[in-house]
Structures are given as C-alpha cells and as structure tokens.
Amino acid sequence: MSDWEKSSTARVNPPARPRRLAKVPFVELADGRLQGVVSSGSDIGRVYVSSVATATYAFACSTNNNRPCGGARGSFCNHIRALVGEAVLQYGAGRVARYLRVDTADGEPDAQSITAAMITTRPAQADTKAAAPVFSRFLRHLAYLELAPTTAPLPEMHFFPPTRAVA
C-alpha cells in the first residue's frame, strides 16, 4: 500500500497556476455553478459569496450574512469577475469554459473572454439561496487547515469508500 493510501488526506490536483488566496480564498465548480468566497475590496472583515450558473450564467453575489452586493445590478460585479479569474488560475481556462458551457470565439479562452462571452447573453440575476451552503463549505475547509497533519482516520470523513477491497 502506498503512503497516500494510508493517509487520512486525499490527493489534490495542483492549481493550474498559483492563486491569490487573500482576494478569493475559496473557489469551486460544484452544484452546476462556479461559486466561491471573495474578499471585500473595502472592508477587511467582509466577504462575498458569488456564483454563476452553468449554461444560463444566472449570477448572484451577496455578503456572508445575505445582504446583496451593490455592484451586481444587471451585470457581473467585480467580485464575480475576480471569481472567474481565480477559477481560471485554479482549474485552467478550458475546464472553466467547459463547465460553464461558454463558447469563446477566440480559440484558447482566458478569464476575460469567458466573462465577456457570458455577459453578451445578458444573464439574469439569481437568488442567493446557494450562498449559505457555499459559505458553510468554505468555513469547513478552513477548519481542516487548523488540524495537525496525521495519518489517523478523520471520523467525519468515514463516508468515503475504501480505495481497495478489504478481505
């Protein structure tokens, strides 16, 4: 059995390029959305939960206590633009474009061309129902960072199936 099979941690794919975690500490492609947590540019104690839906590009942006973003009125705010940019750094532009089902006319996509292609469809503003679960996952990820490295099993991770058959 290899070392990683004995560990309580899972392999993590390295990011396509290094990210700026201070601006966008959490980004994920999940639940049919690009979603994540974006730091406020004006208040160090405030974060925004932003998301863009796959295919429809319906977007939402609100604070962690569900107050609407003032910049997301009819179009993408700077938080959503930052989220797309960091997603491209984390997952690569091709993967983000495929996940969101964005068709960019100019060959190899980048964050700017992905955002521009979504904006041209005039996406609708969505409700912020997804904000609470996204923020909760972000907080859970932060809690795992505080744990000391160990090879002992983590009880809350027991739902993962074993990687090989146990006789």
Side-chain angles (χ1 to χ4, degrees):
M1 195 180 320
S2 66
D3 286 338
W4 72 269
E5 289 177 304
K6 297 177 197 172
S7 175
S8 63
T9 60
R11 278 191 202 177
V12 176
N13 291 332
R17 289 184 300 217
R19 291 195 323 106
R20 299 168 301 210
L21 295 176
K23 181 64 181 164
V24 183
F26 182 69
V27 61
E28 64 180 354
L29 300 171
D31 303 327
R33 291 183 298 273
L34 164 61
Q35 53 196 16
V37 174
V38 182
S39 299
S40 170
S42 59
D43 183 355
I44 196 163
R46 182 179 302 141
V47 295
Y48 288 83
V49 180
S50 305
S51 66
V52 178
T54 299
T56 66
Y57 316 130
F59 62 95
C61 187
S62 62
T63 63
N64 55 313
N65 57 1
N66 233 13
R67 293 197 174 126
C69 171
R73 295 182 183 163
S75 188
F76 290 175
C77 61
N78 289 337
H79 305 115
I80 292 174
R81 292 174 190 273
L83 182 70
V84 173
E86 293 300 310
V88 165
L89 291 177
Q90 179 70 34
Y91 299 107
R95 183 173 175 191
V96 172
R98 282 189 307 276
Y99 187 84
L100 291 172
R101 298 186 198 142
V102 174
D103 184 27
T104 57
D106 305 336
E108 184 63 30
D110 62 2
Q112 188 174 4
S113 66
I114 291 170
T115 303
M118 289 189 292
I119 289 174
T120 60
T121 66
R122 298 195 184 272
Q125 198 160 353
D127 61 15
T128 58
K129 284 190 281 187
V134 172
F135 192 68
S136 178
R137 264 198 304 278
F138 167 63
L139 293 177
R140 189 172 61 237
H141 281 270
L142 286 179
Y144 286 124
L145 292 175
E146 295 175 356
L147 296 176
T150 181
T151 57
L154 290 173
E156 64 270 18
M157 305 282 278
H158 76 280
F159 56 89
F160 287 114
T163 56
R164 52 188 216 146
V166 178

